[in-house]
Amino acid sequence: MTDAIGLPPPPPVGETALKPGTFAGETVFVTGAGTGLGKAIAAEFARLGASIVIASRKDEHLEAGEAAMKALGAPVLTVTCDIREPEDIAAAFEAAAGAFGLPGVLINNAAANFPVPAEDMSPNAWRTVVDITLNGTFFCAREFGRRHLAAGTPGSIVNIGASYAWTGGPGFAHSAAAKAGVKNLTESLAVEWGPYGIQVNSLVPGLFPHEDMTADIQGNLQRTNDKDVCQPALRVGQRQELGWAATFLASPYARFISGHTLVVDGANWQRRLLTNPPVVTVRDQMGKGPFEP
Ligand code: HXC
Ligand code: NAP
């Protein structure tokens, strides 16, 4: 590609634009922070002085997140929590408040997803993804919002989204619909809770491959050719880039930004030609045989 240089690489992990100690004395509650992007986001808050609460279901993930935060010297609490269960969430916030004080920042990162043609998707598969991704996000936000309203304290919520909230997501109809709901929820809550000092934003990652991606998602990605040349940036995202965006949105320097969805994807989701590549059905993309009712 003549003259193509792509977007420059980011500074290395460990650097930050925010002042050291920006989150000192603050507690940040991150769902799904034992793996992938949630862990990377939690790490950036930890580097800036926050105490971290990690909420998710699996012991091995909680242990991995705890080890990562400890390696950064951050105080950390892990709580077993299924975000589909409001009682689990209430107990997790109670434990967080007991350990560190009411979290001032909530990162709604946990989500569920697997590739499946819509016609093959069972009702329970649909329900499960929507329940975790959309309902779980609302239940966590609700718990956070109610506690701050009762205490009369401000707070900041960052909901992790996906760009197929705007475009639809063939092969991921459940997740795309749920993420569209998350974007819309962000806008409702930002207006409802702004008067109470609660800022609500969304953060949308582009393609950020990582070793914790589920086998289903990895398998789907492996069907794509070289990832870098398929992006306008000529590269995929590096996890610290998402963490930096999350810490900025929740920082004192972004207090007047609310109801916004920030996309960190090197403009990949705007990529569109008038003549796109030939249409391939989702079944064919996934190597499935003919539909069998
Ligand atoms: C079709 C599937 C399926 C699959 C599960 N199901 N996996 N259907 N294809 N690959 C169906 C099951 O058959 C069942 O329906 C229903 O979904 C619920 O499955 P369970 O295994 O009972 O659910 P549960 O134990 O609650 O686990 C939830 C899960 C699981 C979503 C299925 O994968 C999980 O825990 N995921 C968490 C991590 C995750 O998904 N990360 C991805 C985020 S990445 P039936 O009818 O049989 O009862 C992301 C990136 C977006 O969002 C962009 C990517 C580039
Ligand atoms: P991941 O590694 O699979 O992380 C998902 C996390 O959610 C896991 O730590 C999991 O922990 C937790 N989780 C799932 N169901 C839960 C439940 N019911 N209750 C509590 N926790 C639950 O995925 P990721 O790539 O880091 O994705 C993080 C976020 O970024 C998601 O919102 C995803 O949609 C979004 N995203 C990612 C990409 C990407 O390229 N990676 C692109 C677009 C959007 P447990 O299993 O321990 O519960």
Side-chain angles (χ1 to χ4, degrees), residues 32-55:
T35 65
L37 304 189
K39 189 164 70 173
I41 290 169
E44 294 307 326
F45 282 100
R47 286 193 178 94
L48 290 165
S51 300
I52 306 295
V53 181
I54 301 175

PDB file of all heavy atoms in Angstrom, residues 32-55:
ATOM      1  N   GLY A  32     -16.321  -8.342  35.652  1.00  0.00           N
ATOM      2  CA  GLY A  32     -15.547  -9.107  34.666  1.00  0.00           C
ATOM      3  C   GLY A  32     -14.096  -8.667  34.560  1.00  0.00           C
ATOM      4  O   GLY A  32     -13.495  -8.770  33.487  1.00  0.00           O
ATOM      5  N   ALA A  33     -13.506  -8.228  35.676  1.00  0.00           N
ATOM      6  CA  ALA A  33     -12.128  -7.692  35.619  1.00  0.00           C
ATOM      7  C   ALA A  33     -11.065  -8.757  35.855  1.00  0.00           C
ATOM      8  O   ALA A  33      -9.906  -8.426  36.073  1.00  0.00           O
ATOM      9  CB  ALA A  33     -11.965  -6.555  36.616  1.00  0.00           C
ATOM     10  N   GLY A  34     -11.460 -10.028  35.778  1.00  0.00           N
ATOM     11  CA  GLY A  34     -10.466 -11.083  35.910  1.00  0.00           C
ATOM     12  C   GLY A  34      -9.880 -11.489  34.579  1.00  0.00           C
ATOM     13  O   GLY A  34      -8.936 -12.290  34.519  1.00  0.00           O
ATOM     14  N   THR A  35     -10.440 -10.975  33.494  1.00  0.00           N
ATOM     15  CA  THR A  35      -9.978 -11.372  32.158  1.00  0.00           C
ATOM     16  C   THR A  35      -9.892 -10.147  31.248  1.00  0.00           C
ATOM     17  O   THR A  35     -10.473  -9.092  31.546  1.00  0.00           O
ATOM     18  CB  THR A  35     -10.957 -12.377  31.489  1.00  0.00           C
ATOM     19  OG1 THR A  35     -12.212 -11.711  31.256  1.00  0.00           O
ATOM     20  CG2 THR A  35     -11.194 -13.616  32.340  1.00  0.00           C
ATOM     21  N   GLY A  36      -9.187 -10.331  30.161  1.00  0.00           N
ATOM     22  CA  GLY A  36      -9.206  -9.452  28.998  1.00  0.00           C
ATOM     23  C   GLY A  36      -9.273  -7.958  29.253  1.00  0.00           C
ATOM     24  O   GLY A  36      -8.443  -7.369  29.961  1.00  0.00           O
ATOM     25  N   LEU A  37     -10.291  -7.345  28.690  1.00  0.00           N
ATOM     26  CA  LEU A  37     -10.367  -5.882  28.695  1.00  0.00           C
ATOM     27  C   LEU A  37     -10.729  -5.342  30.076  1.00  0.00           C
ATOM     28  O   LEU A  37     -10.256  -4.274  30.465  1.00  0.00           O
ATOM     29  CB  LEU A  37     -11.375  -5.410  27.644  1.00  0.00           C
ATOM     30  CG  LEU A  37     -11.104  -5.896  26.212  1.00  0.00           C
ATOM     31  CD1 LEU A  37     -12.023  -5.204  25.214  1.00  0.00           C
ATOM     32  CD2 LEU A  37      -9.650  -5.674  25.828  1.00  0.00           C
ATOM     33  N   GLY A  38     -11.559  -6.075  30.812  1.00  0.00           N
ATOM     34  CA  GLY A  38     -11.905  -5.625  32.167  1.00  0.00           C
ATOM     35  C   GLY A  38     -10.675  -5.564  33.058  1.00  0.00           C
ATOM     36  O   GLY A  38     -10.480  -4.618  33.836  1.00  0.00           O
ATOM     37  N   LYS A  39      -9.821  -6.568  32.916  1.00  0.00           N
ATOM     38  CA  LYS A  39      -8.584  -6.602  33.710  1.00  0.00           C
ATOM     39  C   LYS A  39      -7.671  -5.437  33.303  1.00  0.00           C
ATOM     40  O   LYS A  39      -7.061  -4.787  34.159  1.00  0.00           O
ATOM     41  CB  LYS A  39      -7.881  -7.950  33.514  1.00  0.00           C
ATOM     42  CG  LYS A  39      -6.724  -8.162  34.462  1.00  0.00           C
ATOM     43  CD  LYS A  39      -6.300  -9.622  34.536  1.00  0.00           C
ATOM     44  CE  LYS A  39      -5.648 -10.109  33.283  1.00  0.00           C
ATOM     45  NZ  LYS A  39      -5.095 -11.475  33.411  1.00  0.00           N
ATOM     46  N   ALA A  40      -7.606  -5.168  32.010  1.00  0.00           N
ATOM     47  CA  ALA A  40      -6.755  -4.067  31.530  1.00  0.00           C
ATOM     48  C   ALA A  40      -7.280  -2.713  32.011  1.00  0.00           C
ATOM     49  O   ALA A  40      -6.510  -1.822  32.377  1.00  0.00           O
ATOM     50  CB  ALA A  40      -6.687  -4.097  30.006  1.00  0.00           C
ATOM     51  N   ILE A  41      -8.588  -2.560  32.007  1.00  0.00           N
ATOM     52  CA  ILE A  41      -9.180  -1.300  32.485  1.00  0.00           C
ATOM     53  C   ILE A  41      -8.911  -1.152  33.981  1.00  0.00           C
ATOM     54  O   ILE A  41      -8.483  -0.086  34.456  1.00  0.00           O
ATOM     55  CB  ILE A  41     -10.700  -1.278  32.189  1.00  0.00           C
ATOM     56  CG1 ILE A  41     -10.944  -1.152  30.681  1.00  0.00           C
ATOM     57  CG2 ILE A  41     -11.388  -0.145  32.951  1.00  0.00           C
ATOM     58  CD1 ILE A  41     -12.391  -1.386  30.254  1.00  0.00           C
ATOM     59  N   ALA A  42      -9.146  -2.214  34.730  1.00  0.00           N
ATOM     60  CA  ALA A  42      -8.906  -2.162  36.187  1.00  0.00           C
ATOM     61  C   ALA A  42      -7.442  -1.810  36.469  1.00  0.00           C
ATOM     62  O   ALA A  42      -7.141  -1.042  37.394  1.00  0.00           O
ATOM     63  CB  ALA A  42      -9.269  -3.507  36.816  1.00  0.00           C
ATOM     64  N   ALA A  43      -6.535  -2.335  35.644  1.00  0.00           N
ATOM     65  CA  ALA A  43      -5.103  -2.076  35.856  1.00  0.00           C
ATOM     66  C   ALA A  43      -4.785  -0.591  35.718  1.00  0.00           C
ATOM     67  O   ALA A  43      -3.961  -0.053  36.469  1.00  0.00           O
ATOM     68  CB  ALA A  43      -4.272  -2.889  34.859  1.00  0.00           C
ATOM     69  N   GLU A  44      -5.427   0.081  34.763  1.00  0.00           N
ATOM     70  CA  GLU A  44      -5.142   1.523  34.602  1.00  0.00           C
ATOM     71  C   GLU A  44      -5.649   2.315  35.803  1.00  0.00           C
ATOM     72  O   GLU A  44      -5.003   3.264  36.245  1.00  0.00           O
ATOM     73  CB  GLU A  44      -5.739   2.056  33.288  1.00  0.00           C
ATOM     74  CG  GLU A  44      -5.095   1.475  32.038  1.00  0.00           C
ATOM     75  CD  GLU A  44      -3.571   1.602  32.004  1.00  0.00           C
ATOM     76  OE1 GLU A  44      -3.023   2.604  32.508  1.00  0.00           O
ATOM     77  OE2 GLU A  44      -2.928   0.668  31.493  1.00  0.00           O
ATOM     78  N   PHE A  45      -6.802   1.939  36.347  1.00  0.00           N
ATOM     79  CA  PHE A  45      -7.277   2.608  37.573  1.00  0.00           C
ATOM     80  C   PHE A  45      -6.329   2.306  38.737  1.00  0.00           C
ATOM     81  O   PHE A  45      -6.027   3.179  39.547  1.00  0.00           O
ATOM     82  CB  PHE A  45      -8.701   2.165  37.921  1.00  0.00           C
ATOM     83  CG  PHE A  45      -9.767   2.832  37.093  1.00  0.00           C
ATOM     84  CD1 PHE A  45     -10.355   2.185  36.013  1.00  0.00           C
ATOM     85  CD2 PHE A  45     -10.191   4.125  37.393  1.00  0.00           C
ATOM     86  CE1 PHE A  45     -11.332   2.808  35.245  1.00  0.00           C
ATOM     87  CE2 PHE A  45     -11.172   4.759  36.629  1.00  0.00           C
ATOM     88  CZ  PHE A  45     -11.749   4.096  35.548  1.00  0.00           C
ATOM     89  N   ALA A  46      -5.867   1.055  38.800  1.00  0.00           N
ATOM     90  CA  ALA A  46      -4.948   0.667  39.876  1.00  0.00           C
ATOM     91  C   ALA A  46      -3.665   1.482  39.804  1.00  0.00           C
ATOM     92  O   ALA A  46      -3.159   1.955  40.825  1.00  0.00           O
ATOM     93  CB  ALA A  46      -4.649  -0.832  39.776  1.00  0.00           C
ATOM     94  N   ARG A  47      -3.152   1.661  38.599  1.00  0.00           N
ATOM     95  CA  ARG A  47      -1.909   2.447  38.428  1.00  0.00           C
ATOM     96  C   ARG A  47      -2.086   3.883  38.897  1.00  0.00           C
ATOM     97  O   ARG A  47      -1.128   4.548  39.267  1.00  0.00           O
ATOM     98  CB  ARG A  47      -1.480   2.471  36.955  1.00  0.00           C
ATOM     99  CG  ARG A  47      -0.891   1.175  36.485  1.00  0.00           C
ATOM    100  CD  ARG A  47      -0.184   1.328  35.134  1.00  0.00           C
ATOM    101  NE  ARG A  47       0.381   0.054  34.775  1.00  0.00           N
ATOM    102  CZ  ARG A  47      -0.223  -0.856  34.008  1.00  0.00           C
ATOM    103  NH1 ARG A  47      -1.388  -0.597  33.468  1.00  0.00           N
ATOM    104  NH2 ARG A  47       0.343  -2.020  33.773  1.00  0.00           N
ATOM    105  N   LEU A  48      -3.325   4.371  38.855  1.00  0.00           N
ATOM    106  CA  LEU A  48      -3.596   5.760  39.252  1.00  0.00           C
ATOM    107  C   LEU A  48      -4.072   5.851  40.700  1.00  0.00           C
ATOM    108  O   LEU A  48      -4.644   6.856  41.105  1.00  0.00           O
ATOM    109  CB  LEU A  48      -4.620   6.377  38.293  1.00  0.00           C
ATOM    110  CG  LEU A  48      -4.078   6.622  36.871  1.00  0.00           C
ATOM    111  CD1 LEU A  48      -5.213   6.890  35.887  1.00  0.00           C
ATOM    112  CD2 LEU A  48      -3.091   7.782  36.870  1.00  0.00           C
ATOM    113  N   GLY A  49      -3.880   4.766  41.464  1.00  0.00           N
ATOM    114  CA  GLY A  49      -4.089   4.849  42.904  1.00  0.00           C
ATOM    115  C   GLY A  49      -5.397   4.314  43.437  1.00  0.00           C
ATOM    116  O   GLY A  49      -5.650   4.374  44.646  1.00  0.00           O
ATOM    117  N   ALA A  50      -6.265   3.770  42.569  1.00  0.00           N
ATOM    118  CA  ALA A  50      -7.577   3.302  43.032  1.00  0.00           C
ATOM    119  C   ALA A  50      -7.482   1.981  43.790  1.00  0.00           C
ATOM    120  O   ALA A  50      -6.569   1.180  43.561  1.00  0.00           O
ATOM    121  CB  ALA A  50      -8.513   3.119  41.833  1.00  0.00           C
ATOM    122  N   SER A  51      -8.441   1.766  44.684  1.00  0.00           N
ATOM    123  CA  SER A  51      -8.715   0.418  45.205  1.00  0.00           C
ATOM    124  C   SER A  51      -9.694  -0.228  44.236  1.00  0.00           C
ATOM    125  O   SER A  51     -10.625   0.425  43.757  1.00  0.00           O
ATOM    126  CB  SER A  51      -9.351   0.491  46.595  1.00  0.00           C
ATOM    127  OG  SER A  51      -8.476   1.147  47.480  1.00  0.00           O
ATOM    128  N   ILE A  52      -9.479  -1.512  43.971  1.00  0.00           N
ATOM    129  CA  ILE A  52     -10.247  -2.182  42.920  1.00  0.00           C
ATOM    130  C   ILE A  52     -11.126  -3.282  43.503  1.00  0.00           C
ATOM    131  O   ILE A  52     -10.671  -4.098  44.313  1.00  0.00           O
ATOM    132  CB  ILE A  52      -9.304  -2.825  41.874  1.00  0.00           C
ATOM    133  CG1 ILE A  52      -8.315  -1.793  41.315  1.00  0.00           C
ATOM    134  CG2 ILE A  52     -10.105  -3.499  40.771  1.00  0.00           C
ATOM    135  CD1 ILE A  52      -8.927  -0.662  40.503  1.00  0.00           C
ATOM    136  N   VAL A  53     -12.377  -3.297  43.068  1.00  0.00           N
ATOM    137  CA  VAL A  53     -13.280  -4.407  43.391  1.00  0.00           C
ATOM    138  C   VAL A  53     -13.573  -5.145  42.087  1.00  0.00           C
ATOM    139  O   VAL A  53     -13.990  -4.535  41.101  1.00  0.00           O
ATOM    140  CB  VAL A  53     -14.598  -3.902  44.010  1.00  0.00           C
ATOM    141  CG1 VAL A  53     -15.509  -5.082  44.346  1.00  0.00           C
ATOM    142  CG2 VAL A  53     -14.314  -3.057  45.243  1.00  0.00           C
ATOM    143  N   ILE A  54     -13.320  -6.441  42.110  1.00  0.00           N
ATOM    144  CA  ILE A  54     -13.556  -7.270  40.920  1.00  0.00           C
ATOM    145  C   ILE A  54     -14.742  -8.184  41.193  1.00  0.00           C
ATOM    146  O   ILE A  54     -14.736  -8.948  42.160  1.00  0.00           O
ATOM    147  CB  ILE A  54     -12.325  -8.142  40.602  1.00  0.00           C
ATOM    148  CG1 ILE A  54     -11.095  -7.260  40.359  1.00  0.00           C
ATOM    149  CG2 ILE A  54     -12.590  -9.048  39.401  1.00  0.00           C
ATOM    150  CD1 ILE A  54      -9.803  -8.043  40.147  1.00  0.00           C
ATOM    151  N   ALA A  55     -15.749  -8.101  40.332  1.00  0.00           N
ATOM    152  CA  ALA A  55     -16.943  -8.945  40.495  1.00  0.00           C
ATOM    153  C   ALA A  55     -17.114  -9.819  39.268  1.00  0.00           C
ATOM    154  O   ALA A  55     -17.233  -9.310  38.152  1.00  0.00           O
ATOM    155  CB  ALA A  55     -18.175  -8.058  40.686  1.00  0.00           C
TER     156      ALA A  55
END
